[in-house]
Amino acid sequence: MNTATRNLSRRAFLKRGACAALGTTGLLSTLAQLRVLAAGVSGQSAFSVSSGDYKALVCVFLYGGNDANNLVVPYEQQAYDNYARSRSILALPRSDVLPISPLGGGSYAFHPAATGLQTLFNERRLAVLANVGTLIAPVTRADYRSGSAALPAQLFSHSDQSVQWQMALPDSSRKIGWGGRVADLMASLNENEQISMAVSLAGINTWQAGNQTVVYPVSHDGVVGIDMLEREWVDPVRKDAFTGLLELERRNLFERSIAGSTSRTIENNRLIAAALDQTPPPNTPFPETELGRQLRMIARLARIGPTLGFRRQIFFASMGGWDTHDGQIDAHSELVGELAAAFLAFNRATVEYGIEDKATVFTASDFGRTFSTNGKGSDHGWGNHHLVMGGAVQGGRIFGRFPELIVNGPDDTGQGRWIPTTSVDQYSATLARWFGVDASNLPELFPNLGNFASSDLGFMS
């Protein structure tokens, strides 16, 4: 279905829905109906806040464990030689990598496929966070080897570490994400109370799950509606019958809850779809990749966020395929290229929309990978380097401390599984502070944060 047809369909549906509501008992409340009419028919919204108050936090989760040992490579000759010797078949040629000169010193380079990241770093719109990982408290190699350190459960396990990264509660079984906890705390800032501030382009996830916050899934094409209601050829009588069923008085609590959530979803879909129709896609070209499509929709949703009454929103996107046990050189190059191109496009789109300093993107991943090769690729590691991008980022810098890239050296648990020198809690708390969380709330959000020297790593302005 082309855009014009889709738009016509939505407008027609909005008008039908409005007439049905006014002519009968109506599916929606009077206030909500007015909002739908305002947003969908006249192009104006009952929701509107100053764009100056708006902030969007975007998590890009790299499922499988990105090998950031090859995303950011030492470039100084002796350090590179040590890297090349230890990485063996995984070593990237020095002549191919993309040199960067971080503010504050150091000599590093990005993966050859990361041209977009090099551009953003040189423009000071991107920063690197070195050797971040799940920790309960600081750990030394001696602590680790003696068994005296308090360690996150199930290190090196995909399923456990991906959840712990998203929770920032490595010693808890609660499946509540730190993004969801932040959303619980800040939801009251939003004028819009009927649409969740947690929007996911990659399905249900732990990071956005809160005690009150629920995830609102959206596809890279927009809202995911109820198919029958979206199709014009479906008999209106059937549509009216469906909506009528949702209005029935129900004694069963579960049935009442399902009917209520379905009604709210329909209403929210109408609001968002109508607002998107009023805001065309950015002129900035995005790569036609899965991540490119996700970030394009997030840019559009962030653009209309203030119109929908949001001062704060959190978004979730993801890429899979980073579990490179074999064939790593080619597979990782393709993944890095996709990531870098999507990041560059998102940045350019936020510049085009005038919201660059209001949208911050950060990466997360299960873990890093072993510095030693298994002969074809790399195995599950621990500490990893990550990226933060946006107009509010202190870009062009590398924050934190790189591990000494020596197998069985002072930062290694074995095989080049780096002991993190920055905790997920510190990384997350710094982003949460930028988002507007008061310092007094950080211990509640990140109970282990006090075990570390600093709660603000300084990479956000």
Side-chain angles (χ1 to χ4, degrees), residues 247-261:
E247 297 175 35
L248 292 177
E249 291 291 334
R250 299 173 190 276
R251 293 184 178 180
N252 183 283
L253 181 61
F254 180 72
E255 291 180 353
R256 193 160 65 241
S257 176
I258 291 295
S261 63

Side-chain angles (χ1 to χ4, degrees), residues 127-131 394-395 397-401 422 457-460:
V128 174
L129 275 295
N131 198 21
Q394 296 292 316
R397 293 175 170 83
I398 294 178
F399 292 85
R401 181 175 73 79
T422 293
L457 301 177
F459 59 83
M460 299 300 300

Side-chain angles (χ1 to χ4, degrees), residues 21-263:
L22 294 172
T24 64
T25 55
L27 170 66
L28 312 174
S29 69
T30 302
L31 176 58
Q33 187 64 56
L34 288 173
R35 287 167 172 166
V36 172
L37 287 169
V41 178
S42 71
Q44 301 299 315
S45 174
F47 299 116
S48 183
V49 299
S50 166
S51 61
D53 297 335
Y54 181 78
K55 288 184 178 177
L57 191 57
V58 184
C59 174
V60 175
F61 203 93
L62 311 179
Y63 282 109
N66 173 35
D67 182 14
N69 290 308
N70 272 11
L71 180 65
V72 186
V73 174
Y75 193 67
E76 186 273 328
Q77 189 64 58
Q78 183 175 352
Y80 173 81
D81 291 343
N82 292 336
Y83 152 87
R85 189 164 45 250
S86 295
R87 291 240 83 183
S88 181
I89 65 165
L90 297 181
L92 302 170
R94 189 169 185 268
S95 57
D96 291 351
V97 297
L98 308 173
I100 54 175
S101 300
L103 298 171
S107 180
Y108 295 91
F110 279 124
H111 188 286
T115 53
L117 300 182
Q118 184 194 38
T119 298
L120 291 165
F121 190 89
N122 290 339
E123 293 176 350
R124 303 185 185 181
R125 289 168 156 142
L126 180 94
V128 174
L129 275 295
N131 198 21
V132 187
T134 54
L135 288 170
I136 296 171
V139 176
T140 66
R141 175 177 163 86
D143 294 336
Y144 180 86
R145 293 180 67 83
S146 69
S148 62
L151 299 175
Q154 303 299 324
L155 283 175
F156 323 130
S157 156
H158 286 295
S159 57
D160 293 280
Q161 290 302 300
S162 61
V163 169
Q164 289 180 26
W165 249 96
Q166 295 180 41
M167 293 196 306
L169 291 171
D171 52 350
S172 171
S173 60
R174 296 170 59 206
K175 296 296 187 292
I176 302 296
W178 73 261
R181 299 197 297 274
V182 168
D184 285 345
L185 185 67
M186 306 198 71
S188 61
L189 285 179
N190 293 326
E191 184 178 330
N192 187 335
E193 297 176 353
Q194 66 188 65
I195 303 176
S196 174
M197 63 183 280
V199 180
S200 174
L201 275 288
I204 302 301
N205 60 88
T206 301
W207 181 64
Q208 293 178 310
N211 288 313
Q212 288 84 42
T213 300
V214 295
V215 179
Y216 185 82
V218 173
S219 83
H220 55 67
D221 289 325
V223 297
V224 182
I226 296 175
D227 195 52
M228 183 188 76
L229 297 179
E230 295 294 330
R231 295 183 183 277
E232 284 197 318
W233 51 264
V234 174
D235 188 343
V237 175
R238 292 179 60 191
K239 294 179 179 178
D240 290 344
F242 179 83
T243 54
L245 285 173
L246 296 176
E247 297 175 35
L248 292 177
E249 291 291 334
R250 299 173 190 276
R251 293 184 178 180
N252 183 283
L253 181 61
F254 180 72
E255 291 180 353
R256 193 160 65 241
S257 176
I258 291 295
S261 63
T262 303
S263 298

